[in-house]
Amino acid sequence: MGLSITPLPLSMTGAALRAAVLEAVVLAGHLLLYPTGLLDERRAPADADTTGDTPSETRGQRPPVLLLHGFTDNRSVFVLLRRALGADGRRRVETYNYSPFTRDLRVTARHLARRVEELCERSGQDRVDLVGHSLGGLVARYYVQRLGGDARVRTLITLGTPHSGTRVAPFMDAHPLVRQMRPESDVLSELGAPSPGCRTRMVAFWSEFDALMAPTGTARIEHPDLDSTNVQVTGIGHLALPVHPAVITAVRRALDGPVSDATAPAAAPVAASSASDATSRTAPAPRPAPTTRSAPTATGTTGSTGTEGQGLAI
């Protein structure tokens, strides 16, 4: 399935300029916040009723969310996203700071597995949701596909993750983690192997202005065995993906339910197609919005749910 989010209907030149300016602003802000995320956060205590017989989800609580940062980054990148996801008080939101000295994402994925088990025990829930930015998404996907994490992870959302590898910055190949993000790496070969029966729903956000993805389409999940949705974001670069209001809203909707069921804040045509036929439909009338923005048609991605394309304006 493929979706498209267009913050503003700009020309490609205007959108590229806007994305570059936004990246510079986000980078400046992130550099100021970076020191605040160096230390691990204090973990919330266990729910008072985790020993009860009623599952947390039936008490109105959504599965907890664990956020994973990218290469050489830390939890400070999720300040806005974390606040938005936990705003309604119905889900526990935590971050996972893995070591900046990590040399093998497979080792980090095993550490993540232990962190997820601990979070499940503390929250009293059987499953969690994961959101990973850049390398964090690749770590989470390895855990889900190769370490049995699909038994614990309900939904995995990735933001600018090189699912098919990236060729950016060839001078950094000396770093083992960078080599694992190359298209020909053993890690990506493992992720490309058959994964029948994977129970985790995956949503991948990608942008044509993501300068760290070469080619940009590498941030899409292209795997026939996975229940995946690819969401194209226009006018947003790599650093802005975890902080842009349009992306944050879309992430919340993805965690609350299937992305295709979300209603755009402005009327937008929705087109769907399958391998054997194609139909057109119009999205339900949404609540009044101050402005109306158009959504381009996105191409579909083949996955376990079939091939589907859908336009979405945010």
Side-chain angles (χ1 to χ4, degrees):
M1 181 188 296
L3 303 179
S4 178
I5 299 176
T6 308
L8 288 176
L10 300 176
S11 65
M12 288 298 291
T13 301
L17 177 60
R18 177 178 179 271
V21 172
L22 181 59
E23 283 290 274
V25 172
V26 172
L27 175 60
H30 188 42
L31 289 176
L32 292 176
L33 289 175
Y34 191 88
T36 66
L38 291 174
L39 299 179
D40 289 338
E41 66 182 0
R42 294 181 59 185
R43 299 178 187 177
D47 289 342
D49 51 1
T50 55
T51 57
D53 296 328
T54 305
S56 296
E57 289 188 55
T58 63
R59 299 191 301 268
Q61 289 292 320
R62 297 188 176 100
V65 180
L66 192 59
L67 310 175
L68 291 84
H69 60 78
F71 181 58
T72 70
D73 210 342
N74 62 42
R75 62 187 176 88
S76 63
V77 72
F78 293 122
V79 168
L80 298 180
L81 179 59
R82 177 176 182 172
R83 183 181 304 166
L85 293 181
D88 61 2
R90 294 183 59 192
R91 62 163 59 92
R92 181 191 297 250
V93 184
E94 298 186 2
T95 58
Y96 174 51
N97 257 13
Y98 55 85
S99 172
F101 303 107
T102 297
R103 298 174 61 85
D104 189 338
L105 71 80
R106 291 168 292 197
V107 174
T108 302
R110 287 192 285 271
H111 293 164
L112 172 62
R114 291 194 289 270
R115 181 72 168 83
V116 168
E117 291 299 320
E118 185 270 338
L119 178 57
C120 286
E121 180 179 356
R122 205 158 25 87
S123 64
Q125 298 223 30
D126 295 329
R127 307 196 80 187
V128 305
D129 293 328
L130 299 180
V131 179
H133 179 229
S134 196
L135 175 63
L138 212 56
V139 171
R141 183 178 166 190
Y142 191 91
Y143 161 59
V144 167
Q145 277 189 248
R146 307 300 298 176
L147 303 179
D150 63 316
R152 284 296 195 190
V153 180
R154 184 191 66 153
T155 301
L156 166 61
I157 295 179
T158 66
L159 309 172
T161 292
H163 291 289
S164 298
T166 178
R167 297 191 181 279
V168 75
F171 58 87
M172 293 185 64
D173 279 352
H175 197 294
L177 270 183
V178 174
R179 292 199 299 271
Q180 289 183 331
M181 289 187 281
R182 297 306 188 199
E184 65 279 1
S185 74
D186 293 339
V187 168
L188 293 185
S189 294
E190 289 184 61
L191 293 179
S195 297
C198 182
R199 290 161 283 184
T200 299
R201 180 172 65 98
M202 301 185 186
V203 183
F205 288 82
W206 68 283
S207 172
E208 73 271 39
F209 297 119
D210 189 335
L212 296 187
M213 299 296 107
T216 54
T218 192
R220 298 165 58 92
I221 296 178
E222 309 281 359
H223 196 297
D225 293 335
L226 301 180
D227 177 6
S228 61
T229 301
N230 293 303
V231 183
Q232 181 181 359
V233 183
T234 300
I236 299 176
H238 188 78
L239 296 177
L241 282 169
V243 302
H244 196 283
V247 178
I248 290 176
T249 299
V251 169
R252 285 191 63 181
R253 288 174 174 170
L255 294 178
D256 290 344
V259 176
S260 58
D261 292 340
T263 301
V270 179
S273 63
S274 66
S276 59
D277 60 81
T279 59
S280 297
R281 63 182 184 271
T282 302
R287 293 188 297 270
T291 59
T292 299
R293 300 168 184 171
S294 60
T297 301
T299 56
T301 298
T302 302
S304 61
T305 56
T307 302
E308 186 173 336
Q310 179 173 342
L312 174 63
I314 291 183

